[in-house]
């Protein structure tokens, strides 16, 4: 019984790794996205509940908040992120179909 569970877990982890690799390849094949945007999309894909904001992206990549905001807005315009507010701060989350849009090239 434990062996079967471990086999299923290994299979699941392999499939998740394959999806993550496919997403990375699809993102890197698009010249439209810079390395910061690719990182944001990989994070959004791996953690669909992640809340992203310009300040965090700016600190992570050592760029201005305005550059980070432009990156996030471009991903929103492409239909990959959706914007909301937490207090007075703008935040972005992955759209439910982010993986499908990336893999199908609909971005």
């Amino acid at each position: 019984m434990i062996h079967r569970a471990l086999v299923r877990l290994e299979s699941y982890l392999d499939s998740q790794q394959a999806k993550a690799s496919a997403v990375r390849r699809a993102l890197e094949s698009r010249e439209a996205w810079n390395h910061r945007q690719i990182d944001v999309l990989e994070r959004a894909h791996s953690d669909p509940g992640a809340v992203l904001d310009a300040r965090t992206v700016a600190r992570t990549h050592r760029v201005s908040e305005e550059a980070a905001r432009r990156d996030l807005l471009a991903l929103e315009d492409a239909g990959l992120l959706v914007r909301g507010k937490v207090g007075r701060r703008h935040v972005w989350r992955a759209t439910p179909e982010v993986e499908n849009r990336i893999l199908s090239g609909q971005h």
Side-chain angles (χ1 to χ4, degrees):
M1 185 162 152
I2 292 174
H3 177 68
R4 254 186 294 154
L6 289 173
V7 168
R8 277 190 244 137
L9 176 61
E10 185 177 353
S11 175
Y12 171 76
L13 292 175
D14 288 345
S15 72
Q16 290 303 105
Q17 180 62 37
K19 281 184 187 179
S21 295
V23 165
R24 177 80 176 172
R25 282 191 307 276
L27 289 171
E28 288 177 343
S29 71
R30 287 280 308 224
E31 294 180 11
W33 307 128
N34 63 44
H35 69 280
R36 296 182 306 272
Q37 291 167 317
I38 290 171
D39 185 63
V40 164
L41 289 171
E42 285 181 322
R43 178 165 179 222
H45 173 257
S46 68
D47 182 6
V51 176
L52 305 157
D53 63 62
R55 181 176 295 158
T56 302
V57 173
R59 285 182 185 160
T60 300
H61 295 284
R62 297 181 180 169
V63 295
S64 69
E65 282 189 43
E66 186 55 34
R69 188 175 348 290
R70 281 193 305 268
D71 287 346
L72 293 165
L73 288 169
L75 296 173
E76 178 187 353
D77 289 344
L80 297 166
L81 299 179
V82 62
R83 184 174 18 164
K85 285 189 104 173
V86 173
R88 296 177 53 187
R89 182 174 63 118
H90 287 279
V91 296
W92 286 263
R93 291 181 176 85
T95 60
E97 64 277 351
V98 68
E99 180 179 298
N100 292 336
R101 291 181 67 95
I102 291 169
L103 293 175
S104 68
Q106 297 178 4
H107 52 87

